[in-house]
Amino acid sequence: MRIIVYGSLRRNQGNSHWMTNGQWLGDHVISGFELYDLGHYPAVVPGTGTVYCEVYRIDSSTLAELDALRTKSGEYKRALIATPYGGAWMYVYQRPVEGLRRLKNGDWVKRAEES
C-alpha cells in the first residue's frame, strides 16, 4: 500500500523516523488542498491550493502505527488520493482551521520562509 506524507513525516523532518521501513517512491504535488500550521506538525484540508508531498510504499503494520498516531483522537481521517504511483492514503485534518496560519506555498519543509 502507499501513503502520502506532507509534513513531519517527510524526509529530514521531526517524525520521519516513522517512515524508516517505507520505500520512498517519489515527490508529488496534490491540488485541491490547503496546508495549515498546527505548530509541530501540519494539517491538510480540502481547498483551492496545492501541497508538496512525498509518496511511500509501506506495509500494513506501519499503516496501523500511523493510524494510531494520527486518527486516535479524531484529528485526522484517511482519504485515498490518486498519485502517479497509484492510489495512496493521506491523512486529512477533521477539525476547523479558522485562526490557524495557512502555508500558502503548500510546503511544510519551507514553512520558515513564509511569514
Side-chain angles (χ1 to χ4, degrees):
M1 66 195 63
R2 288 168 295 277
I3 190 162
I4 298 171
V5 298
Y6 50 81
S8 64
L9 295 171
R10 287 175 64 185
R11 288 172 289 169
N12 302 314
Q13 297 302 301
N15 285 323
S16 62
H17 62 276
W18 287 93
M19 303 310 297
T20 302
N21 294 327
Q23 175 192 7
W24 177 74
L25 299 175
D27 295 326
H28 181 54
V29 178
I30 55 170
S31 297
F33 290 90
E34 296 173 352
L35 184 69
Y36 287 86
D37 187 350
L38 298 178
H40 294 295
Y41 54 94
V44 160
V45 297
T48 59
T50 57
V51 177
Y52 290 83
C53 310
E54 296 170 4
V55 181
Y56 287 84
R57 183 179 315 280
I58 59 171
D59 59 24
S60 58
S61 64
T62 300
L63 184 63
E65 290 172 354
L66 292 173
D67 277 350
L69 177 70
R70 294 290 183 224
T71 63
K72 67 180 176 184
S73 65
E75 233 181 350
Y76 295 87
K77 179 179 176 182
R78 266 197 286 132
L80 194 58
I81 307 293
T83 78
Y85 313 99
W89 292 110
M90 184 176 77
Y91 292 100
V92 179
Y93 194 63
Q94 298 299 299
R95 296 188 178 155
V97 293
E98 289 80 24
L100 297 174
R101 180 172 72 115
R102 179 177 172 204
L103 301 174
K104 293 181 181 140
N105 67 10
D107 193 341
W108 177 253
V109 175
K110 296 180 179 176
R111 66 191 176 280
E113 297 172 13
E114 190 172 317
S115 51

